[in-house]
Amino acid sequence: MGKISQRKQQSLKEPPSPTRASTAKMAVSDPLPDATSGPATSAEIASLMNLMQEMATDVASIQTNIADMRGSLESLGQRVSGAESKMGRLGAVTDDHEARLIRVEGELAHQTRYAGELWDRVQDLENRSRRNNIRVIGVPEGVEGNGVSGPTMLLSILRDCLPLGESDPIEVEQAHRILGPRPAPDQRPRPIITRLLRFQDREHILRLAREAGELYWRGGKIMIFPDMSRELAAQRKRFTPARRRCMELGLRYGLRYPAVLQVMVDGRLHRFEDPEEALKELNGIPDQNHQRGSPQP
């Protein structure tokens, strides 16, 4: 009994020796080192626990960031939806503005054409109101004195410069210098605008002035031109190269109202409203004077 009790006590004190299977199972499931390395294993476990805590903190932060991103995406989606709805309304407003712009452009084109027609009418009325006028250039300043009126003085100038007979019934309604300050003695005198009673008298005076070439009065040269607006004068001046070409070719020409060049070529009358076209056509005509001087083949 004493031996048996000693064996029981010994069995209670000493654990049973593990078998091979249980030893292998423990080796696989518990890779921890043996009892001699116990302190190092505790440090590694603590390090792993800290790492896991940091990972848990990072995961929580990532989850928070994902939640914020979801909120931002939802807000962005709402803003995109609002922008799309606004774009739809903006597209409708844009279409309305384009339609209004097209209508305004059409009205502007119409008003531009109408303004051009009105301007042409104004120019025509202004120049027709001057159809009995002539412009005399070169008369010295201060000759209107001694109680002589402007029409009387100008009629005497015309009779002195042009071959007008005493029986020619030329009547001058008005004669005055253009408005402006009186020029200095060394400057060009102001032109005199003269209004004749009849249009035929104006044409007769202009024809005599063209035939005379150069006119002189009291030792000074004077010139007589038809009176017209500044715009029409600039438009007619553009035909100057074509007119010079007509004189070089010895062609008969005339500048008709308002600005139409008529040229007689080989018995045919040509009309030109474009100065460049007129000069191009005239440059294509051979020079008769040059042909006569060239030797015959």
Side-chain angles (χ1 to χ4, degrees):
M1 290 294 293
K3 293 182 178 180
I4 294 173
S5 61
Q6 289 179 358
R7 289 179 179 175
K8 287 182 178 180
Q9 291 178 358
Q10 189 176 2
S11 61
L12 291 174
K13 291 179 180 180
E14 296 180 1
S17 60
T19 62
R20 294 181 178 178
S22 62
T23 303
K25 184 176 181 181
M26 290 176 61
V28 172
S29 60
D30 191 6
L32 297 177
D34 53 2
T36 58
S37 60
T41 302
S42 300
E44 290 179 357
I45 291 174
S47 176
L48 289 176
M49 292 298 293
N50 294 332
L51 181 61
M52 291 180 64
Q53 290 179 357
E54 292 178 358
M55 291 178 61
T57 304
D58 294 338
V59 169
S61 176
I62 292 173
Q63 291 178 350
T64 304
N65 293 335
I66 292 175
D68 294 340
M69 292 176 63
R70 286 180 179 177
S72 300
L73 289 176
E74 291 178 357
S75 176
L76 182 61
Q78 294 177 359
R79 294 176 61 184
V80 169
S81 300
E84 288 179 351
S85 61
K86 290 181 180 179
M87 287 295 294
R89 294 193 299 269
L90 182 60
V93 173
T94 303
D95 295 338
D96 181 60
H97 286 177
E98 289 181 354
R100 295 175 62 184
L101 180 60
I102 293 173
R103 185 169 62 255
V104 169
E105 289 179 350
E107 293 178 356
L108 178 61
H110 173 71
Q111 294 296 332
T112 302
R113 291 193 300 269
Y114 185 63
E117 294 176 358
L118 290 180
W119 176 253
D120 294 339
R121 292 180 183 180
V122 169
Q123 287 294 311
D124 183 68
L125 289 174
E126 182 179 358
N127 288 285
R128 286 185 182 276
S129 66
R130 302 185 183 191
R131 65 192 305 268
N132 290 1
N133 296 359
I134 59 174
R135 185 178 290 241
V136 183
I137 301 175
V139 179
E141 296 277 349
V143 298
E144 299 90 345
N146 300 326
V148 180
S149 63
T152 304
M153 181 206 65
L154 188 69
L155 186 58
S156 65
I157 293 175
L158 294 178
R159 291 189 182 278
D160 293 341
C161 299
L162 300 175
L164 295 174
E166 294 293 337
S167 60
D168 291 337
I170 296 178
E171 299 184 23
V172 179
E173 288 187 346
Q174 296 179 5
H176 59 84
R177 296 187 184 271
I178 62 173
L179 298 177
R182 186 169 182 172
D186 57 342
Q187 295 180 351
R188 180 179 300 179
R190 293 171 295 174
I192 297 178
I193 306 298
T194 304
R195 181 174 181 83
L196 302 173
L197 180 62
R198 289 174 290 272
F199 175 75
Q200 293 79 4
D201 295 341
R202 178 235 195 196
E203 293 297 311
H204 181 53
I205 292 173
L206 293 176
R207 181 177 59 81
L208 293 177
R210 286 194 301 268
E211 293 176 355
E214 294 184 354
L215 303 177
Y216 293 91
W217 185 73
R218 294 185 182 180
K221 183 179 179 180
I222 66 173
M223 294 176 289
I224 301 176
F225 297 102
D227 185 33
M228 62 189 68
S229 65
R230 183 178 301 177
E231 292 78 10
L232 182 58
Q235 187 177 358
R236 292 167 72 96
K237 188 177 180 180
R238 295 175 57 197
F239 283 95
T240 300
R243 295 166 64 185
R244 291 176 180 173
R245 182 59 180 167
C246 290
M247 289 187 288
E248 293 175 358
L249 297 174
L251 301 176
R252 296 180 57 187
Y253 70 94
L255 195 58
R256 298 292 180 260
Y257 179 83
V260 180
L261 180 65
Q262 294 182 352
V263 184
M264 186 68 67
V265 181
D266 297 333
R268 296 180 57 186
L269 183 64
H270 298 265
R271 293 170 54 90
F272 301 99
E273 297 183 0
D274 187 1
E276 296 181 357
E277 181 182 357
L279 185 60
K280 181 179 179 181
E281 293 292 335
L282 293 173
N283 288 332
I285 300 176
D287 193 348
Q288 300 295 332
N289 299 328
H290 179 70
Q291 287 184 356
R292 291 182 190 138
S294 60
Q296 296 295 329

